[in-house]
Amino acid sequence: MKLDTPPVRLGARHVSRHFTVRSSGRFSRTARSVRAVDDVTLDLVSGRVTAVVGESGSGKSVLAKMLARIVTPTSGELLLGDQVIAPRAKRTLEYAAQVQLVLQDPFSSLNPVHPIHHCLSRPLRIHGTPRERVDEMARGALERVALNPPERFLDRYPHELSGGQLQRVSIARALCVRPGVLLADEPISMLDVSVRLGILNLLRGLCDSEDLAVMYITHDIASARYLADDTIVMYAGQIVERSLGTALVDEPTHPYTQLLVASVPDPTATGTKFTASGEHSNTVTPDVGCRFAPRCRYAMEVCRRESPPEVEVAPGHSSRCWLHEPQRVGAKDQESLTLRRKGAPLAT
Ligand code: SF4
C-alpha cells in the first residue's frame, strides 16, 4: 500500500440517484421514489484499487454507472481531476475516454457477430485514433491483458473464447483508449473459480503499471481484501463503512460489515456464526432511521428514528452506526447499548 497521497482521478460528491416507481391500482395511481444511491461521496485515486462491497440491491452498480455517466445522478456532482461535472451535463467523448466501465458479463458485453479485432478497433476509431495506428493499438491492448500472441485472438469470434479470455478482451477494449479510471463491475462473478485469481492479478498489475484508478465492485469481501487498497461497504444505497487498506475487513465496526466478514466460508471454523435476521431494508420512501435496523441485532430505539452519522472510528476508518456515537443516543438506548456491549461484543 502506498502511503503518500496520489492525485484523485475521479470523485463523487453527495451523489444520489432516485428512481420513480409508478403503480396503478383499480382506483388509484401512486408514484414512489426508490433511493438506489443516496448521498455517496468517494474518491478514486491513481494507482489504487478501491473496492466497493455490498449485496445485490446495495446500489454499487448504479453508482458505477453514474461515475461512468451512463446513468444521470439525481443530485450531487462528479469531479474528473479538477474539473467539476454538473449532474445534468452531457457525457463527452473526452470523459468517456478517461472513465471506462467493464461489465460483469463478458459473454453479453461483446458483440457476437464481430471478431475481436472489430471489438477493439471500434472504440479506437470512435475516439479518433488514426487509421494506420488502429491495428497496432488493438494488438497492444491484447498484450496488456496477457492475451499473447495477439494475432491468435484478433480474428476469432467471442464464442470461440473462454469466459476468462472474454473478460480480458473486455478489459483490453476499455484500456484501448488509455483511460485514467477503470470501473470494474463484478468482473469475476460470472467466471469459473479457476480463472478468477488471474483476472484479479491482472487488475492489480494494470493499476500499478499504468497508474490507473480502479474501482472494483464485488459482493465478495474476501476478494476485496485480496485486491483492494481501500475498501467501501454499501448497504441499501448508502456507504455504511469505509477504510484505507484492509482495516475494515480485519476489524469491521459496522454490524453489516461484520455480517459480510462472518459469511466468508471458513473450513476450520466451529460453532455458530454471526447471523442476521429480519427483512431486507426498504429503499422506497418513506424509510426513516438506519436502513440496516430491520436486520441488525444491535438495533436501538434511536436507530429506527434517526439516520446514523458517519463517525471516524480510527484514522482513515469510518462507520455509519449509532454504536459509535453513544453520547448522542437517548438515556434508554444508553442502557441497552451498555448491555449489548457487555453481552455481545461488536467484533464476532
Ligand atoms: Fe444497527 Fe443501529 Fe448501527 Fe444501524 S445504527 S447498524 S441499527 S446499531
Side-chain angles (χ1 to χ4, degrees), residues 254-255 290 292-293 296 298-300 303 308 321-323:
H254 191 281
C290 172
F292 190 57
C296 181
Y298 304 114
M300 301 169 277
C303 306
C321 176
W322 281 115
L323 291 171

Side-chain angles (χ1 to χ4, degrees), residues 52-65:
V52 178
V53 190
E55 62 195 23
S56 297
S58 60
K60 50 196 192 313
S61 293
V62 176
L63 175 62
K65 285 177 183 154

Side-chain angles (χ1 to χ4, degrees), residues 10 62-71 78 91-92 95-96 99-101 183:
L10 181 63
V62 176
L63 175 62
K65 285 177 183 154
M66 279 197 290
L67 293 175
R69 298 183 64 205
I70 294 168
V71 167
L78 302 177
R91 182 175 184 245
T92 59
Y95 190 94
V99 183
Q100 285 282 309
L101 178 65
L183 310 169

